[in-house]
Amino acid sequence: MYQCNNLVHDYSVAVWEKVCAKVRHAAVYMDAESAECLHFTGGLVRLLEAGAETVQTLSSWKRGIPEQRYAVFIMSRLLDDFTVNYLCRMVKECHFRSCVVICLASSEVTST
């Protein structure tokens, strides 16, 4: 059991290392499940130390700061039509020049 926990933790750390490589100078938006996952592998400090300018929960009423030009959206599941439309609207309204959308779960996990 302990070895399995270490494998899961090591995998989680490796995933967040890849995510952190994308957040430098970014406005980061994440859903609640992603934030919970991050909590167990370094928390908010991990993203800030990687260079994120802001970190916020992703919700339908959030809007970016006009000066921010780069956004990273971290989602715990595959994107549905509603979420894609929301992200497109947010990117357009906030005038982000570029963005990255990261889905933490693979299609095998979420397609049941």
Side-chain angles (χ1 to χ4, degrees), residues 99-110:
C99 70
V100 172
V101 179
I102 300 171
C103 297
L104 296 179
S106 70
S107 59
E108 290 84 15
V109 172
T110 59

Side-chain angles (χ1 to χ4, degrees), residues 57-98:
T57 58
L58 185 62
S59 67
S60 59
W61 54 271
K62 293 278 184 177
R63 294 292 180 260
I65 299 168
E67 297 80 32
Q68 293 175 316
R69 297 293 180 216
Y70 173 54
V72 175
F73 299 96
I74 304 171
M75 312 296 294
S76 60
R77 60 185 69 111
L78 294 179
L79 304 178
D80 57 20
D81 289 340
F82 175 81
T83 306
V84 169
N85 288 333
Y86 167 72
L87 294 177
C88 288
R89 188 177 71 244
M90 188 171 178
V91 167
K92 183 178 178 181
E93 289 175 4
C94 297
H95 305 287
F96 293 125
R97 290 188 182 149
S98 63

Side-chain angles (χ1 to χ4, degrees), residues 21-82:
K22 302 289 185 186
V23 303
R24 186 165 177 77
H25 302 298
V28 177
Y29 299 88
M30 56 195 324
D31 63 14
E33 295 84 0
S34 298
E36 182 70 15
C37 179
L38 177 63
H39 170 75
F40 291 103
T41 57
L44 174 64
V45 172
R46 184 179 197 119
L47 292 176
L48 295 174
E49 288 178 346
E53 291 183 3
T54 62
V55 180
Q56 301 180 51
T57 58
L58 185 62
S59 67
S60 59
W61 54 271
K62 293 278 184 177
R63 294 292 180 260
I65 299 168
E67 297 80 32
Q68 293 175 316
R69 297 293 180 216
Y70 173 54
V72 175
F73 299 96
I74 304 171
M75 312 296 294
S76 60
R77 60 185 69 111
L78 294 179
L79 304 178
D80 57 20
D81 289 340
F82 175 81

